[in-house]
Amino acid sequence: MTKLLKIMLVDDQKMANFINKKLIEVTQFADEIVDYTTPEAALSAVKEEKPDLIFLDLNMPEINGWNFLDVLKERNDPTQVVIVTSSTSNIDKEKAQNYTQVVDFLIKPLNKNTILSLKNKLKPAC
Amino acid sequence: MNLSSAKYRITYEAFSKFSYNLNTVETFEDLGKVTNKHLKYLFNFKMFRILLVAEQPVICYTFSKSLGVNISFFETILPYEEELLIHKTPGVLPLQPDNLPEYLSEKFQTLENGKLWMWYTTLANYKVCFSIVSDDSSPFSHNDIEILNLLVDNIVSRYVQIQLTEELKNKNIKLKEAISEIELKNKEIEEINNNQQNIILKRTEELRFKNQKLLELSKLNAHNLREPLSRIMGFLEIADLFNDVELRNEIFPKIKISTHQLDQVFREVVAQSENVAANYNITENKHD
């Protein structure tokens, strides 16, 4: 049996989490999915939930995706992160390379293929 | 020592004094004055006249005991001088009334046995006519010709030196004028350059600022517009995972909300662009 995979979704748009959750379910990428619409709540829950992977939106009020990554870094929390953003800006993509725990940079909308590619990419690690 | 050699010695001493004083002369006028002062110690004469001619007469000194020196830059050439210039033949003639310049003719009416001595030579590119009027009270002799030639040589070479110095002075003045003209132009050019530099700096700063504002706007638009759009696209991606009832009841209302939000963002983006354009003076068709 392979190891069970737990994914945490962090996006201030509830509908975005709804869509991504459905895609993860149908592609059987994870065994458990938890979703958060406030980054603060997600950060507090990371220790307890212990997700294997976080799907992180960038453009959020109060704490944006970059702040979220900075907090994880400060805590020495090595949880792997996939950035899932509606921004097509190259500046954001370049900035993401400064964070070693970011394993992929995906542009919304996701579809079954992007999830399956990610699944293949992370297979050896997970 | 006989009389003749004594006179010779005195004359040469007088000449060396003259020569020494001539070296301090810096103007055409002073050349005349200094010569006039020493002339009477060199030989006897009623009138001594030296005319320098290039294309035209350039200078004429006429010395006489009664009037001193007359200096003229536009002297009328006397008839015997015209002859000299053509035939170049020296000679001694009885004095005729037209042998004298007008300003001397009255003074010389009572000469006893007046004689006109005349010579022609060329020195330093000038034709030189020199002549002496003598009479029995002031006899000129052949023995004086040697000292006369020395005198003429000295006067002409001093004249040439003064002439060259004057030319040099004039050229220097013109050069100085040219230099100050160039300096003025350089200053003007420098001012124009500085002005251009300032305008360029100011415009560059304005452009940089406008670009910054446009970049901020474009980043905002990229995200804000794509967020609801990507949701709508996302719903379409997962649509086939739902049956008709679920689609109608669950997914369509969500798409509807998202399209309304997209429309709202569009309106905001347009309003904001217009706002930025107005604030930073970015208008259509304006090139500044």
Side-chain angles (χ1 to χ4, degrees):
Chain A
M1 275 295 280
T2 50
K3 184 179 170 279
L4 295 179
L5 188 77
K6 183 175 183 177
I7 292 183
M8 175 188 264
L9 304 179
V10 185
D11 197 316
D12 62 317
Q13 280 291 337
K14 205 175 177 181
M15 281 188 261
N17 279 342
F18 173 86
I19 294 163
N20 292 340
K21 197 172 180 180
K22 195 75 187 172
L23 286 166
I24 291 165
E25 280 169 5
V26 78
T27 53
Q28 299 179 322
F29 180 34
D31 306 284
E32 194 184 347
I33 306 165
V34 285
D35 63 293
Y36 289 84
T37 50
T38 56
E40 296 89 336
L43 275 173
S44 330
V46 169
K47 268 186 191 166
E48 207 172 307
E49 297 276 13
K50 292 193 181 70
D52 299 295
L53 194 61
I54 300 171
F55 274 29
L56 179 66
D57 183 27
L58 286 180
N59 204 45
M60 294 180 287
E62 308 290 337
I63 295 178
N64 66 25
W66 304 119
N67 304 142
F68 191 101
L69 283 166
D70 289 336
V71 174
L72 289 185
K73 211 174 174 180
E74 273 170 33
R75 288 183 191 168
N76 289 323
D77 184 327
T79 311
Q80 290 190 318
V81 173
V82 173
I83 288 174
V84 182
T85 176
S86 48
S87 161
T88 54
S89 155
N90 274 330
I91 299 169
D92 286 340
K93 197 168 182 177
E94 278 166 24
K95 192 173 174 183
Q97 288 171 353
N98 297 332
Y99 295 89
T100 48
Q101 65 199 114
V102 173
V103 293
D104 214 341
F105 187 97
L106 302 177
I107 291 167
K108 293 181 198 172
L110 303 184
N111 57 35
K112 281 184 249 177
N113 287 336
T114 47
I115 300 283
L116 287 172
S117 303
L118 182 66
K119 193 176 169 181
N120 280 333
K121 190 175 174 183
L122 298 180
K123 216 175 202 170
C126 298
Chain B
M1 192 189 287
N2 63 33
L3 192 65
S4 146
S5 63
K7 188 193 162 200
Y8 212 68
R9 223 176 86 183
I10 292 164
T11 307
Y12 273 89
E13 269 171 19
F15 191 84
S16 71
K17 260 187 194 170
F18 162 68
S19 218
Y20 175 79
N21 281 341
L22 203 63
N23 281 333
T24 62
V25 156
E26 284 180 354
T27 64
F28 300 128
E29 285 73 18
D30 284 352
L31 174 58
K33 281 179 194 164
V34 167
T35 309
N36 186 56
K37 196 175 143 195
H38 290 265
L39 207 50
K40 58 180 175 284
Y41 303 114
L42 302 179
F43 45 73
N44 291 326
F45 67 100
K46 280 290 175 181
M47 178 193 87
F48 168 61
R49 180 170 159 98
I50 175 165
L51 171 74
L52 268 66
V53 180
E55 299 296 318
Q56 298 290 322
V58 291
I59 198 157
C60 181
Y61 291 102
T62 309
F63 304 91
S64 62
K65 280 181 185 152
S66 43
L67 286 182
V69 60
N70 178 281
I71 304 165
S72 169
F73 297 95
F74 307 99
E75 183 71 356
T76 313
I77 302 178
L78 296 171
Y80 74 87
E81 287 168 332
E82 297 272 12
E83 288 282 316
L84 257 184
L85 286 168
I86 298 165
H87 301 295
K88 300 166 185 166
T89 321
V92 193
L93 297 168
L95 186 70
Q96 303 289 320
D98 67 354
N99 291 152
L100 297 166
E102 266 180 40
Y103 47 84
L104 279 181
S105 51
E106 243 182 71
K107 299 266 175 193
F108 285 9
Q109 272 171 358
T110 55
L111 294 186
E112 282 173 35
N113 196 16
K115 280 182 189 165
L116 173 70
W117 304 66
M118 55 183 158
W119 298 267
Y120 173 89
T121 184
T122 51
L123 287 169
N125 296 328
Y126 294 108
K127 295 170 212 163
V128 184
C129 296
F130 53 105
S131 44
I132 280 176
V133 170
S134 65
D135 69 352
D136 287 346
S137 66
S138 296
F140 184 80
S141 80
H142 284 282
N143 295 333
D144 296 323
I145 290 177
E146 201 180 328
I147 203 87
L148 176 66
N149 280 330
L150 273 177
L151 173 74
V152 169
D153 262 6
N154 273 250
I155 291 174
V156 173
S157 59
R158 195 68 212 168
Y159 171 82
V160 170
Q161 277 179 27
I162 295 169
Q163 177 69 21
L164 288 176
T165 310
E166 289 288 308
E167 272 176 32
L168 211 63
K169 264 188 209 164
N170 285 338
K171 278 182 186 165
N172 274 343
I173 288 168
K174 279 183 186 160
L175 211 63
K176 270 182 192 165
E177 280 169 2
I179 287 169
S180 55
E181 179 78 359
I182 289 168
E183 275 172 1
L184 198 74
K185 292 280 166 203
N186 272 346
K187 220 174 173 184
E188 279 173 23
I189 291 168
E190 208 171 293
E191 272 169 24
I192 291 168
N193 277 347
N194 282 342
N195 210 15
Q196 289 290 91
Q197 193 86 14
N198 285 341
I199 290 170
I200 291 167
L201 281 177
K202 202 174 155 221
R203 299 242 164 120
T204 310
E205 181 57 26
E206 275 172 19
L207 277 178
R208 201 193 58 77
F209 190 70
K210 284 175 186 176
N211 278 345
Q212 180 68 26
K213 285 292 152 194
L214 289 173
L215 183 67
E216 281 170 17
L217 196 65
S218 109
K219 266 175 77 177
L220 196 71
N221 291 351
H223 188 270
N224 290 357
L225 279 170
R226 275 205 97 253
E227 199 283 319
L229 175 66
S230 68
R231 247 186 287 148
I232 296 165
M233 291 163 82
F235 284 124
L236 297 176
E237 286 292 339
I238 59 169
D240 59 356
L241 304 175
F242 297 90
N243 64 37
D244 288 357
V245 178
E246 284 170 332
L247 276 179
R248 199 164 33 246
N249 294 339
E250 206 176 332
I251 305 301
F252 282 174
K254 287 188 169 75
I255 290 179
K256 195 178 173 185
I257 293 167
S258 298
T259 55
H260 278 294
Q261 286 174 347
L262 179 61
D263 182 44
Q264 186 57 38
V265 175
F266 257 115
R267 288 166 196 271
E268 281 169 14
V269 164
V270 171
Q272 204 166 13
S273 300
E274 283 175 351
N275 196 23
V276 168
N279 281 345
Y280 302 108
N281 201 22
I282 304 163
T283 53
E284 272 182 89
N285 303 326
K286 189 182 174 189
H287 305 284
D288 58 352

